[in-house]
Amino acid sequence: MVALAEKDRPVAQMLLNSGTCPRCIFRFCGVGLQTSYRQPHKDLLHELHEFLESNERESKLSCEMANPPCKKMKLENANGIKDQTPNGSHQLTNVHSDGSDTVAIENLNPVVCNICLGILQDLCEMDFVKAVCHKINSSEYQFSSFVFSVSFPPQLSVREHAAWLLVKEEMGKQGLSIGKDDFVQLKEAYKWIIHPLFLEELGVPADGKSLFEVSVVFAHPETDEDCCFLASVCPSCFKPAKNKQSVFTRMAVVKALDMIDEEEFHKNYPSPPSLPKTPCSAVDIQCNNGAIFVAGRYNKYSRTLPQTPWIIDGERKMESSVEELILEHLMAAFKADSFNFSSSGREDVDVRTLGNGRPFAVELVNPRRVQLAAVEMKELQQRINSSSDKVQVRDLQLVSREAIVHMKEGEEEKTKTYSALIWTEKVIQNEDITFLDSMKELKLDQKTPLRVLHRRPLAVRIRVIHSMQSEYIDEHHFRLHLKTQAGTYVKEFVHGDFGRTKPNIGFLLGTTADILELDVESVDVDWPPALDD
Amino acid sequence: MAGIMAAGPSEVPASIATFPGVTERYFTRWYKPDVKGNHCEDHCILQHSNRICVITIADAHPLLQKGKPIKSISYQISANCSRLQNKVSGKSKRGAQFLTELAPLCRILCSDGEEYTIYSCIRGKLIEVNENILDNPSLLQEKPSTEGYIAVVLPKFEESKKVTQGLLTREEYEECLSKRFNSTSLYNTKNENLAEI
């Protein structure tokens, strides 16, 4: 037995007698050597026993020789815990003082630690790790490292506190003082033991910065009431909140334990903590991959396709959408839980987006796959493009979260070019419209269009038409190519929106004008980067 | 109106042959005849599919029928209430004057001394009034259902269906107009008869 020092004997014996597991004993004796914790629980128990037995033999010896009160004290101890530990570890001392063999230890195995509630017993050993890994492996996650997070029931903090008071008292008897930092945290010890086992089983290392998280939630309903007394002693720590299932969160319990004085604690909580009948159970095991981002540019060739699903009062107004036509394939490829679609501006349902298309980006939440080779991305893009002629995608690529801002920056600053088919009430000749070509940097006062006024604030916005080029068609029609500042409402610039956009095409031509068709010809944002074909 | 004249060459898509104008494309017309019991003072409310309402004067209104010059338009509807003072802020249009069906929006004074009051006809928040008609009152007569509108009103979300319940649809209004025409002729005939006696 290398882990424990001579000075630890009394504490170790005392904890063992009360039903504490070897690893918790190591923690409370401040054993900082990680490998000490990694032996199987049974071996540790055996070794601990041998260690204490040797001590006992010595003390027995000394007792028999000249120190009867010492033995008497021991007996008292044994009797004292007899009531609360019917199958408890006090038998251990008896069995071994009888010189019995390891079979007896096997029998003792079901004893659940009164401090960790089994967390540092079976719940950190290979069988448990295998069960968690089975869950991980059956869910198709792609990962190259992992971060393991655990949530312990809050009453563990109460038991930890009780044990600390007990150990402090015992050390005090030896004239030793000890602080809370001198112990090894349950979480620390747990990770020391379980990380190498995961490495062995999964073949990838634990990494605190990994985007792949495995989280396990432990619960122990049998001892949930451990925390209850804290609410009456420190009511200020337990304020109900809407989003909390119980007021006894780990944080609140730790805070209350910081505030409560020793005497008050002892009055309300048994020391040592009672022996549980059952160990904790893992009530929830979840895997989560960090979000990944896919960007590209899309063309929309339909005048009956909205950008995002158009649903009003639960009723679908239009079949499909740009978003759905693209995401159907992305979701299938990356097997994500959900997504967030965003783009550099948006076009109306009846507007086409031609040219190089409109930049878009998708956040894929909790994807099973996180890496796709360039050739696979190309195949994915082809799948999108061959399944609909309404939407075509180019430059499809994985991007970083940070890169998305380029798209949103462009949304505000960059220019857009459009092509509009315009009707005039008055008969026009080519020479009636050519003056538009010489108008540069035309400033508009644009009131929030009536069609969006229900959901946007009323304001007059100044927007600039940088340039225009007219293309005469017939006496009532012409095509107008416009280069505009981002955020210009082009339809309203043509028909005037009840005179609310000034000037407008009707006003400039001295007639009533209307827009029959509109196409976006370019969104001048140079992101995401173009890819070679 | 756009489409009827759009019999252009091949570059113009055939679909636009029946292309309706802006008002017809996005708005539903509702009518309220004889507002406040004043004979022929009909209003027309254009309701957008997004529930926004534009208050306009209907073609049968005396202002549009008799072609009489407008002297002035005033949004000052009482000593201490001017619709020009209306200010809204934010998406939810906070601070808007709230209008009931019979809330006056403006008074229009003709050069013959006659004055007409235009009413909201719709319960809702006053979003804006048309200031363009103050400088250019002829807009009201030339383009009554577009640039010559009176005001924009936003009904409460939960009332957006209900606000038009007491109003007439286009068909109902046309029926109403033909009845009015018949009874007016009858009235005139009676008068003539009386005069003969």
Side-chain angles (χ1 to χ4, degrees):
Chain A
M1 176 54 76
V2 283
L4 296 180
E6 280 305 309
K7 67 168 176 53
D8 299 324
R9 280 177 194 276
V11 168
Q13 185 69 62
M14 179 266 299
L15 288 174
L16 187 68
N17 289 351
S18 75
T20 302
C21 74
R23 291 187 179 113
C24 281
I25 291 174
F26 285 6
R27 292 196 299 121
F28 281 93
C29 291
V31 173
L33 190 66
Q34 296 191 18
T35 49
S36 310
Y37 292 83
R38 290 184 185 148
Q39 290 183 66
H41 175 247
K42 281 174 198 168
D43 295 357
L44 289 175
L45 194 60
H46 189 72
E47 284 183 22
L48 177 65
H49 177 70
E50 278 181 351
F51 171 74
L52 293 174
E53 198 183 339
S54 66
N55 180 37
E56 205 161 289
R57 278 194 196 113
E58 281 164 27
S59 58
K60 226 181 210 171
L61 206 65
S62 61
C63 285
E64 276 166 9
M65 285 170 72
N67 217 348
C70 179
K71 182 166 190 185
K72 197 181 167 197
M73 228 174 77
K74 252 193 175 75
L75 285 170
E76 272 170 7
N77 267 352
N79 291 337
I81 57 170
K82 203 163 199 167
D83 296 341
Q84 66 177 98
T85 62
N87 63 345
S89 53
H90 72 283
Q91 291 176 357
L92 193 74
T93 48
N94 292 345
V95 167
H96 281 265
S97 52
D98 292 349
S100 275
D101 57 20
T102 47
V103 179
I105 296 173
E106 297 290 332
N107 290 341
L108 299 169
N109 207 34
V111 176
V112 176
C113 174
N114 66 336
I115 299 179
C116 69
L117 301 173
I119 296 289
L120 294 184
Q121 296 174 300
D122 289 345
L123 293 173
C124 63
E125 305 232 346
M126 203 54 179
D127 283 351
F128 176 73
V129 169
K130 279 194 167 141
V132 174
C133 290
H134 178 72
K135 170 116 187 179
I136 297 171
N137 291 328
S138 63
S139 51
E140 305 177 274
Y141 279 98
Q142 189 183 36
F143 54 92
S144 54
S145 63
F146 71 96
V147 56
F148 185 65
S149 71
V150 282
S151 162
F152 297 133
Q155 57 266 37
L156 277 182
S157 302
V158 179
R159 287 175 174 259
E160 197 89 342
H161 189 77
W164 174 61
L165 294 178
L166 209 58
V167 171
K168 200 170 68 162
E169 194 189 326
E170 187 66 36
M171 299 293 268
K173 284 183 195 161
Q174 299 179 55
L176 297 166
S177 75
I178 192 147
K180 239 178 174 170
D181 296 341
D182 297 323
F183 307 127
V184 174
Q185 294 289 311
L186 177 60
K187 214 163 216 170
E188 281 303 300
Y190 191 70
K191 288 189 175 180
W192 291 347
I193 302 159
I194 213 155
H195 279 172
L197 298 180
F198 272 117
L199 173 62
E200 192 180 317
E201 198 62 21
L202 291 174
V204 298
D207 174 5
K209 286 182 191 142
S210 176
L211 292 175
F212 180 61
E213 184 186 36
V214 179
S215 57
V216 178
V217 177
F218 289 108
H220 197 253
E222 184 192 333
T223 58
D224 274 344
E225 284 178 10
D226 278 8
C227 299
C228 289
F229 77 94
L230 290 170
S232 47
V233 180
C234 296
S236 65
C237 296
F238 303 97
K239 300 255 165 63
K242 274 179 219 156
N243 52 355
K244 279 192 270 175
Q245 287 179 323
S246 157
V247 293
F248 298 107
T249 61
R250 205 182 57 84
M251 293 297 279
V253 167
V254 168
K255 195 176 161 199
L257 290 170
D258 265 353
M259 287 167 69
I260 194 167
D261 68 56
E262 242 166 87
E263 204 177 320
E264 191 78 33
F265 184 84
H266 281 307
K267 237 188 275 172
N268 287 285
Y269 199 78
S271 178
S274 63
L275 268 181
K277 293 187 184 70
T278 55
C280 284
S281 55
V283 288
D284 193 23
I285 302 172
Q286 287 202 346
C287 304
N288 186 68
N289 241 333
I292 55 163
F293 297 83
V294 175
R297 304 176 77 98
Y298 73 81
N299 289 119
K300 168 163 114 63
Y301 295 114
S302 167
R303 295 195 191 282
T304 55
L305 185 72
Q307 194 205 37
T308 50
W310 193 1
I311 294 159
I312 296 170
D313 299 335
E315 198 184 318
R316 199 169 186 122
K317 295 283 173 190
M318 288 273 182
E319 188 70 26
S320 198
S321 64
V322 173
E323 183 188 281
E324 285 158 285
L325 290 176
I326 296 174
L327 261 304
E328 182 195 337
H329 301 279
L330 294 189
M331 290 293 277
F334 291 97
K335 298 187 172 68
D337 282 354
S338 62
F339 63 84
N340 295 304
F341 179 90
S342 62
S343 62
S344 182
R346 54 188 299 157
E347 64 281 305
D348 290 344
V349 59
D350 57 353
V351 173
R352 299 188 300 176
T353 297
L354 310 176
N356 272 333
R358 185 186 295 280
F360 71 93
V362 179
E363 175 183 12
L364 292 158
V365 178
N366 191 14
R368 303 303 182 270
R369 292 201 68 181
V370 290
Q371 278 300 329
L372 238 58
V375 58
E376 289 178 293
M377 283 304 275
K378 190 141 280 178
E379 281 166 15
L380 177 55
Q381 177 172 306
Q382 250 146 30
R383 267 204 298 286
I384 296 170
N385 291 344
S386 58
S387 58
S388 170
D389 48 13
K390 293 177 176 173
V391 165
Q392 295 287 295
V393 165
R394 76 187 70 201
D395 301 335
L396 195 70
Q397 56 196 283
L398 284 163
V399 297
S400 69
R401 180 190 293 270
E402 292 72 31
I404 305 290
V405 299
H406 297 306
M407 188 178 75
K408 288 291 168 190
E409 276 166 11
E411 191 173 41
E412 292 300 312
E413 296 160 10
K414 299 294 169 62
T415 60
K416 300 192 180 178
T417 60
Y418 295 90
S419 165
L421 178 62
I422 297 170
W423 168 87
T424 59
E425 188 177 44
K426 181 179 86 173
V427 168
I428 49 162
Q429 300 305 324
N430 189 28
E431 49 270 34
D432 296 326
I433 57 171
T434 47
F435 77 97
L436 294 171
D437 301 15
S438 56
M439 298 187 91
K440 301 292 172 209
E441 306 301 318
L442 174 66
K443 272 199 180 136
L444 311 181
D445 286 333
Q446 209 158 38
K447 277 190 188 159
T448 307
L450 289 174
R451 67 187 158 100
V452 299
L453 188 55
H454 63 300
R455 57 183 162 88
R456 303 230 172 109
L458 175 63
V460 182
R461 296 181 185 82
I462 295 170
R463 290 290 181 267
V464 178
I465 308 279
H466 298 299
S467 63
M468 291 182 272
Q469 207 193 354
S470 62
E471 203 180 293
Y472 183 80
I473 297 174
D474 66 26
E475 291 183 337
H476 289 288
H477 300 91
F478 68 102
R479 189 168 283 284
L480 189 64
H481 300 276
L482 311 96
K483 186 172 183 137
T484 73
Q485 181 185 355
T488 309
Y489 290 103
V490 177
K491 286 178 177 175
E492 279 69 18
F493 170 62
V494 175
H495 63 58
D497 196 28
F498 292 64
R500 299 171 74 257
T501 287
K502 289 188 291 191
N504 54 62
I505 289 289
F507 172 86
L508 294 171
L509 296 179
T511 181
T512 296
D514 200 355
I515 182 159
L516 307 183
E517 284 178 2
L518 182 62
D519 293 324
V520 177
E521 296 209 305
S522 74
V523 179
D524 303 328
V525 174
D526 37 7
W527 188 89
L531 299 180
D532 299 332
D533 278 328
Chain B
M1 53 168 183
I4 304 160
M5 302 166 209
S10 56
E11 287 124 287
V12 179
S15 61
I16 66 163
T18 53
F19 201 76
V22 173
T23 310
E24 277 62 39
R25 280 211 295 282
Y26 305 119
F27 293 85
T28 309
R29 286 177 189 266
W30 297 94
Y31 293 87
K32 185 165 184 177
D34 306 325
V35 175
K36 269 238 165 171
N38 295 316
H39 192 56
C40 292
E41 290 187 22
D42 306 346
H43 289 29
C44 174
I45 286 84
L46 306 173
Q47 189 175 35
H48 195 279
S49 52
N50 69 12
R51 86 175 191 273
I52 289 264
C53 291
V54 181
I55 316 301
T56 71
I57 296 171
D59 286 339
H61 196 283
L63 276 166
L64 303 183
Q65 285 295 307
K66 299 176 185 167
K68 45 184 173 184
I70 294 170
K71 194 177 163 201
S72 69
I73 299 174
S74 170
Y75 283 110
Q76 186 82 41
I77 47 109
S78 70
N80 45 17
C81 180
S82 168
R83 300 306 183 195
L84 289 173
Q85 236 100 70
N86 189 61
K87 288 258 173 349
V88 298
S89 69
K91 283 182 196 171
S92 55
K93 317 294 185 292
R94 284 183 305 277
Q97 296 178 6
F98 194 84
L99 307 171
T100 59
E101 290 90 333
L102 289 176
L105 288 172
C106 70
R107 303 194 200 283
I108 302 172
L109 183 64
C110 293
S111 36
D112 63 3
E114 248 190 289
E115 191 187 68
Y116 298 94
T117 302
I118 309 300
Y119 298 89
S120 170
C121 306
I122 290 282
R123 268 174 64 81
K125 285 180 171 180
L126 178 62
I127 305 300
E128 68 176 28
V129 295
N130 186 1
E131 294 184 33
N132 295 335
I133 57 173
L134 295 177
D135 301 332
N136 189 2
S138 61
L139 269 181
L140 196 83
Q141 288 161 321
E142 287 161 13
K143 296 179 172 176
S145 60
T146 54
E147 287 175 54
Y149 73 98
I150 304 294
V152 177
V153 177
L154 180 63
K156 287 182 182 173
F157 184 78
E158 61 275 20
E159 292 181 3
S160 59
K161 290 259 168 14
K162 218 171 71 185
V163 286
T164 53
Q165 266 172 13
L167 306 177
L168 304 183
T169 64
R170 194 167 199 157
E171 292 73 31
E172 289 166 339
Y173 179 62
E174 273 161 16
E175 209 170 295
C176 165
L177 283 185
S178 64
K179 270 187 198 156
R180 182 190 285 166
F181 178 75
N182 291 338
S183 66
T184 312
S185 344
L186 192 65
Y187 176 75
N188 288 343
T189 323
K190 272 184 189 164
N191 263 357
E192 280 161 27
N193 289 344
L194 281 173
E196 273 176 22
I197 291 170

